[in-house]
Amino acid sequence: MKITEQVASFAKPIVEANGCSLWDVEYVREGSERFLRLYIDKEGGVNINDCEAIARAVDPILDEKDPIPESYHFEVCSAGLERPLKRPGDFEKFMGSPILVKLYRPRNGLKEIPGILRGYEEGKVTVEAGKETITFEKSEVALVRLRVEF
């Protein structure tokens, strides 16, 4: 089982007991440092107190279970308004929402295409961009994230 899956399995009940939902778990290297991040969400938005309470509750369990042999920084963060969409459930939840699709290679000269999420099936993302509807193959898409319009 991957580190992120292990951490998610024991962090999820703690996050939920604190009135939030676990959006994602990320274990990444940034420069010479490693970071373990829990991204949380809740109706009405996450605040610093939510992050702090969950960090304090999860930290001793991380020490006890010790899923990561090397040293790392542990952070609990809000999933954010412009969060990435990764799992099929993410796409279902935000169907009809403004998104930004980032591509590996440009299509019609663009690597970033804003639009409205209209479909998601087996990794294919369908977007309404202006007057046209575009479907991107999974292999073309580097990232899909929510887009906030002001």
Side-chain angles (χ1 to χ4, degrees), residues 18-21 40-47 50 83 93-94:
N18 280 275
C20 297
S21 60
I40 61 172
D41 194 22
K42 80 173 182 189
E43 201 64 42
V46 169
N47 63 42
D50 297 318
R83 69 192 66 179
K93 182 177 181 178
F94 291 102

Side-chain angles (χ1 to χ4, degrees), residues 99 101 103 107-110 112-119 125-136 147:
I99 62 168
V101 178
L103 304 172
R107 186 189 254 198
N108 298 332
L110 300 173
E112 294 187 358
I113 298 168
I116 304 297
L117 179 59
R118 292 295 181 214
V125 179
T126 301
V127 176
E128 182 183 310
K131 289 182 174 24
E132 62 179 324
T133 300
I134 309 166
T135 298
F136 300 97
R147 183 172 51 92

